[in-house]
Amino acid sequence: MFRLYLVSPTITPRRSLYMMHGCVPAVAVWLGLASLLTSSANAEGVPDPVSASASAETVAFFESRIRPALIEHCAECHWSDTEASGNLLLDSRDAIREGGDLGPALIPGDPDRSLLMKVIAYEDPDLEMPPDGQLAPEVIADFRKWILDGAADPRRASASVSASEESGGLPVERAHEHWAYRPIRSNPLPTGVFNQDDSDRTASGLVRRSSSVIDAFVDTQIRQAGLKSAPTAKREAIVRRLVFDLHGLPPTDDQMEDYLSDASPLAYAKMVDRLLASPHFGEHFARRWMDVVRYAESITLRGFILPQAWRYRDYLVHAFASDRPFDQMIRDQLAGDLLPVDDLRETQRRAIATGFLALGNSNLEDQDKSKLEFDHIDEQLETIGRAFLGQTIGCARCHDHKFDPIPTRDYYALAAIMRSTTPLEHANLSKWIERPLPLDMEREGRYQDLETQLKVITAELKAIQAQDARFAKGSMTVIAVDALDGVVVDDSQATFVGQWQESTSLKQYVGKGYRHDQSSGRGDKSVTFEPELSKSGLYEVRMAYSASANRATNVRVTVFSANESKTIVVNQREQPAEEGLWVSLGVYPFEKQGQSFVIVSNEGADGYVIADAMQFRLAEEDRTAARKFASATEDTETRKRLTRTRARRDELQARQKEVQRSLDARPRYLSILEGEPKQEIAIRVRGNVHQQGEMVSRGFLTAVGRPAMFRNQIDGDASGRVQLAHWIADPQNPLTARVYANRLWSWLMGDGLVETENNFGTTGVAPSHPKLMDYLATKLIQSRWSTKRLVREIVLSQAYRRSVTHDVKLHAIDPHNRLYASGSLKRLPIESIRDAMLSVSGELDLAMGGSQIRAGTKSDYNYRHESLRRSLYLPVFRNSLPDLYETFDFADASVSVGERARSTVAPQALAMMNHPWVIQRADTAAKRFGQAAEVEGFETALDQVYTACIGRRPSQAELEACLEYMAVAHTGMSLQERFADIIQSLFASIDFRYLE
C-alpha cells in the first residue's frame, strides 16, 4: 500500500506504485490503506450537506450586484417604459430569459453561451453594450458569476404584472408577523423532561430532571417526534471534539491524559474551564468571527497589501480570550475611535477595532469618487447588517426590500450615518486610511516634536527650491566648455540617433545649448558621448542637464568603461546636486585606447530627456572646478549664495529623510476618519448616485426594536456611528442577541438553530427551536454578553456530547439532525486540518500575534505561504490563498460569510494524497515518531501516531495492517518512508478530517 502520485505539472512521483503482490490500481491501493488504518471511517460515512442558504444568497447577490447594474446601464433602452432596442427587455425575470430579436439574453448556468455576456464583454464589434463604454471588469465578473450560479432573479415574472403584485415584501407595519422582529421572550422551562439514562435514577426509582435548560428544550422536541436521543460519545471522542471546537487544535497528550485519567463527575466541566481559560480559545473564535467580517490583508485590485490589518485580527484574539462583552465589541468595531477612555491600552483596542469598517474589497481605481464612496458605504452596511443583525440591508439600496421590512428610506437613513465618515483618501487611485496609534504622553510628545521638525524642514526646503527655480529661469549664464576641468564632451560633439531638438530655453547649460528628445520615439533615440582621453586612469563621470518639471524621472544612462558597463537611472526633474548643473555617475577605470563612452537613452522615459554635456575628470586630481565655474559666471556672488543654499538643501534633505524614517516607525492602524456630519441625505433613485430623490434624516431600521428606539437622538455635531452602535447593541434590539447566540451554537454544534446564519429575514430559514433560540439570546444578555459563559453552557449540555448514531428511524424522521438527537459528523475547517498536521509533525509554532507578511512585500500576487505559525496568522490575501485553503472551502474574504460551504469533492482527497506540503509534514512526522519506534518498537510508535492524528489508539485490525505493511520489504523504500506512508494515510482519512 503506497501513496498516490497523480500526474501533475508540479508534482513528480518519487515512490513506486507497486504492492508486494504486484501492480494494482493506484487509487484503490492508497484508499485501501487509508480505509484499513481508520476502520471506523467507512462505517461513519461522509455527509454531503447542502447549504440551506444557497437560494437566499444568490437572490441577495442579484439584489446587491446585478439589479443595480441593470438599472444603471440598461434601463434607458431596455425597460418596459422605453422603446426597447432590439425588442429586448431586461426589467423582468421572463423577459431577460426570452430575449429579443437575437434570442434569449442568457442561459442560466452557462455564461459562455449567454448572449448577455458576449455583449457586455465586447466580444463582437457589432454587438457592444452599453454603447457608451464597456462595463468595469468587476461588474462583468459579477454578471458571469450570477449566470453561472443559475441567474437567480426574484423580480416579477412579466413586465405586465403591476408593481403592487410584484412586491411580496413584508411592510414595516407588519414586521411583527415575522419571528425575528418580535421581542425576545422568556419562555417557561419545559416540564416533564427526564434523562433517558437509567444510571441517573434516584434511590426511589425516579429519574432526575435534566440539569441543563438547553437539554430541557432539545429533549422536549425529540420526545415529541417519537425519537430517542443517542448516548454520550466515547471519552476519547469527546475530548477530541471539545478541544477542536474550543481551540481549533488537536488535543495534546497532557489534555488527553488529564481528562481520561480523571474519573470524577466534574472531570468534563474542569476540562471545559481549562480550555476556556487558554488564549487558544481567543485565537479559534477570532478566526470564526473573521469569516463574518470578511477579514483580509490585501485588496483584489492590483494585489494591494493592507499592512496594518493584522492589528484588527489581534484585537479579536484578545477580545475573545479575555471574554470581552460582545455588546462592547459591537461598539468597538463600529465607533471605537469615538469612544476613548483614560486607559491607554483600552483606547488603543477600541481604535484598532474600527478596522472592521475598513476591510471592504473596494474598486479604488473608480474615477467616479461619489460612486466609489456610495459603493463603499453599501459594502459597509451590507456587512454590518449580516454580521450583527442577520439582515440583507444592501437589497434596499435601489428599491424597497423585496422580502423584508426594510424600505429604501431606512437604507439611506443608515447611509447618512456612514456618509459622515471618511472611508478613503481620494486621488487618481484612492487609498485606505491608516491612523497613528494612540500612545503614552512621553512617546506621543516625541512624535509630535518630530512632526514639528518635519514641518519646519519642509518649509525651508520649499523656500530653497523656489529660489532654485527662480535662479534656473535666468540667473545663470552659459558655461563655456573650456572653463571646465577634465575632458568635456558637449552635445555638439556627441553622436545622436533619432531626431533631437536643439534648445536654449533654460540658461543653465554647457556650450551653445542642449538638446531634448521631444518626448517622443521612446526607445528609438539615444546620444553617445565619447571622450578623447590623454591617459588611462580612474575618472569621475558627471552629466550636465537643466532640470524642469516636464523632464523624465527615469533617464537611462549607461557608462562603458575599460572592463564593465553600468546603467544609472537619472531623475532629470531634480536639480543636479553638484553646482546646480552636474550629477555624478560614479568613478570608473578608463584606458586611453580602450572602451570609453556614455550612452543616454530615452527608452521607457516618462518625460523629456535632456542631453547637454558629459565631463570626465581624473579622480585623483585636485578639484578646481568650483573656482573655474565661478569665474565663468557673470554673477560670482550669486553663484556663491547658490552654492551655500544648495549645501543647506542637501543637509535639510538628509535630515528630512531621517525624521521621516522615525515618523514612519510609529505604530499605525487600519481605520476610518470622522468626517463632516450629514444631517440628511438624498435617496439615490434606483441606486444611481447622481440621480437624487427626496431627503431623509439619519436613523435606523424602523422595523427593529421598541418604538422610537434611539429615534432622533443623533446629535447634530455627531456622525451617528456611536448611536448606531448603541442601537445595535441595545438589549431591546431583538436581532443582535439572537444572531450572535445562533452563531455560537452553530460554531459548536455544526449548524445553527437558524441555518441561514447571516439571514434572519423572511427568506431565511426559521429556527428549529424558537424557544431555545430566545433562551440563548436572553442568557447572553443576562450574562453581560459573555461569549465564554454561553459557550460553556452549550458544551456542558448532553445535546453537545451525544455520539454520532446510525439509527434508521432517527435518520428517516430527522435526516439533517435538526432535532439534535444525535451528534453530528463535523468536518474540521482547513485551518484546523493544517494546524493538526503541523502538530503531528512537531513543527507547529504557537507564538501569538504580529504581522506575518514578509518585509518588502508590495503585492499579494503569487505570495508563498511558508510560515509554520498557526493558520490564523497566515496572511489572508485575496489573490493568493494557500492551495489547501481553496480546496477545503475557505471563506470568501470579500463578503460576510456566516457558514462556509461544506463540499465533499475529489480534489480534497487528492490534495491530501499528492500535495507536496502534506507529504513534507508526513515525512517530518515520520522522523519524529521514528525515534520512538527505534527505541520502544513500532507498536508503541503507532499508538503515539494514532493518538496524535485521530485521538485514539489503533484497533487490532489497524495495528496488524500497519505492522504487516512495515514488515514487508518494498523496493527502494526505507522503513521511514513506509512509516511516512502510514502517517499520510491517516492524514487522508475521514477520521482525521472529521469530528465524530
Side-chain angles (χ1 to χ4, degrees), residues 910-959:
L910 296 177
M912 299 302 285
M913 291 189 284
N914 292 281
H915 200 286
W917 191 90
V918 179
I919 294 171
Q920 182 60 47
R921 304 290 75 73
D923 288 344
T924 304
K927 294 176 184 177
R928 176 191 177 198
F929 289 100
Q931 297 174 354
E934 293 176 2
V935 176
E936 303 176 52
F938 277 117
E939 289 193 30
T940 299
L942 287 170
D943 277 352
Q944 295 174 352
V945 166
Y946 263 77
T947 302
C949 288
I950 57 178
R952 62 171 176 83
R953 299 177 61 187
S955 68
Q956 188 62 34
E958 291 166 343
L959 181 61

Side-chain angles (χ1 to χ4, degrees), residues 525-536:
K525 299 182 182 183
S526 64
V527 53
T528 302
F529 295 88
E530 188 170 5
E532 294 184 3
L533 302 177
S534 59
K535 61 179 180 179
S536 301

Side-chain angles (χ1 to χ4, degrees), residues 638-941:
T638 301
R639 171 56 59 191
K640 289 181 180 179
R641 287 198 302 271
L642 181 63
T643 301
R644 287 195 297 271
T645 39
R646 286 180 177 164
R648 175 61 175 164
R649 180 200 61 190
D650 293 344
E651 178 187 343
L652 289 171
Q653 286 178 336
R655 178 59 182 158
Q656 184 185 45
K657 290 180 180 178
E658 180 183 346
V659 172
Q660 189 62 59
R661 278 196 298 269
S662 298
L663 284 172
D664 290 344
R666 173 173 184 156
R668 306 180 73 81
Y669 65 99
L670 181 68
S671 185
I672 36 74
L673 289 173
E674 186 72 343
E676 181 183 352
K678 307 290 184 185
Q679 302 290 341
E680 293 183 320
I681 192 174
I683 291 176
R684 267 47 182 187
V685 179
R686 292 179 174 177
N688 186 333
V689 298
H690 302 297
Q691 190 172 352
Q692 299 188 14
E694 63 176 308
M695 303 294 291
V696 297
S697 300
R698 295 174 295 181
F700 315 117
L701 299 184
T702 52
V704 177
R706 60 178 181 264
M709 179 179 170
F710 291 108
R711 199 76 66 227
N712 302 320
Q713 293 188 19
I714 301 178
D715 296 334
D717 295 334
S719 69
R721 277 194 290 124
V722 172
Q723 291 77 7
L724 174 62
H726 289 327
W727 171 75
I728 291 177
D730 190 277
Q732 297 298 319
N733 188 318
L735 293 171
T736 311
R738 280 179 175 140
V739 169
Y740 187 60
N742 186 65
R743 289 196 196 283
L744 295 180
W745 181 273
S746 174
W747 295 347
L748 298 166
M749 303 295 289
D751 286 299
L753 297 171
V754 176
E755 290 182 279
T756 50
E757 296 174 33
N758 272 8
N759 185 2
F760 274 41
T762 60
T763 59
V765 177
S768 58
H769 297 69
K771 293 181 179 180
L772 175 58
M773 173 93 271
D774 279 5
Y775 167 76
L776 296 175
T778 301
K779 188 73 173 180
L780 177 67
I781 295 170
Q782 290 176 346
S783 64
R784 298 182 179 180
W785 297 83
S786 167
T787 297
K788 288 188 177 182
R789 289 188 186 181
L790 194 57
V791 167
R792 187 178 191 275
E793 180 158 356
I794 294 172
V795 299
L796 286 177
S797 70
Q798 287 298 320
Y800 173 80
R801 289 184 274 177
R802 290 186 178 121
S803 62
V804 177
T805 183
H806 309 290
D807 184 272
V808 175
K809 180 180 178 182
L810 190 153
H811 283 287
I813 295 176
D814 185 20
H816 300 295
N817 197 30
R818 299 301 296 141
L819 297 176
Y820 303 102
S822 167
S824 295
L825 195 64
K826 299 180 293 188
R827 193 182 73 192
L828 294 172
I830 179 55
E831 297 95 321
S832 292
I833 293 175
R834 177 184 176 274
D835 291 349
M837 286 189 280
L838 286 172
S839 179
V840 172
S841 69
E843 299 171 283
L844 182 61
D845 182 355
L846 291 174
M848 296 180 65
S851 174
Q852 291 301 296
I853 302 174
R854 282 191 294 274
T857 302
K858 302 298 183 184
S859 167
D860 72 354
Y861 290 112
N862 301 314
Y863 187 85
R864 295 178 63 185
H865 296 271
E866 298 173 335
S867 173
L868 297 179
R869 292 277 297 275
R870 277 200 71 169
S871 300
L872 164 76
Y873 297 110
L874 292 185
V876 181
F877 285 157
R878 285 175 168 133
N879 292 309
S880 295
L881 290 172
D883 296 340
L884 293 175
Y885 277 38
E886 297 179 355
T887 303
F888 283 93
D889 303 320
F890 186 75
D892 182 349
S894 294
V895 295
S896 173
V897 174
E899 183 180 13
R900 292 185 184 181
R902 288 178 287 184
S903 63
T904 303
V905 294
Q908 294 166 356
L910 296 177
M912 299 302 285
M913 291 189 284
N914 292 281
H915 200 286
W917 191 90
V918 179
I919 294 171
Q920 182 60 47
R921 304 290 75 73
D923 288 344
T924 304
K927 294 176 184 177
R928 176 191 177 198
F929 289 100
Q931 297 174 354
E934 293 176 2
V935 176
E936 303 176 52
F938 277 117
E939 289 193 30
T940 299

Side-chain angles (χ1 to χ4, degrees), residues 364-424:
L364 303 180
E365 284 184 322
D366 196 333
Q367 297 303 300
D368 186 340
K369 300 306 178 183
S370 293
K371 178 178 178 296
L372 172 58
E373 288 185 357
F374 270 93
D375 287 347
H376 197 82
I377 289 171
D378 183 73
E379 195 278 338
Q380 288 175 327
L381 291 179
E382 185 69 0
T383 304
I384 290 169
R386 290 176 180 270
F388 300 119
L389 304 170
Q391 298 294 293
T392 54
I393 294 175
C395 294
R397 177 179 181 178
C398 304
H399 50 77
D400 291 348
H401 201 294
K402 297 299 179 184
F403 307 105
D404 298 334
I406 307 176
T408 302
R409 290 182 60 86
D410 282 6
Y411 175 93
Y412 284 95
L414 291 169
I417 294 174
M418 304 311 299
R419 185 76 167 144
S420 300
T421 297
T422 302
L424 299 167

Side-chain angles (χ1 to χ4, degrees), residues 304-371:
F304 286 131
I305 302 295
L306 298 174
Q308 302 300 331
W310 65 272
R311 293 188 188 275
Y312 173 75
R313 178 206 64 211
D314 283 4
Y315 156 83
L316 293 178
V317 172
H318 178 271
F320 283 108
S322 62
D323 201 20
R324 192 174 184 84
F326 187 70
D327 62 337
Q328 183 59 49
M329 290 180 65
I330 295 172
R331 296 182 176 95
D332 293 346
Q333 294 173 86
L334 292 177
D337 58 322
L338 305 178
L339 299 169
V341 291
D342 291 337
D343 181 80
L344 176 62
R345 290 296 299 152
E346 178 66 10
T347 296
Q348 290 176 336
R349 292 188 189 102
R350 294 184 180 194
I352 290 169
T354 57
F356 162 78
L357 294 172
L359 291 170
N361 194 17
S362 296
N363 175 23
L364 303 180
E365 284 184 322
D366 196 333
Q367 297 303 300
D368 186 340
K369 300 306 178 183
S370 293
K371 178 178 178 296

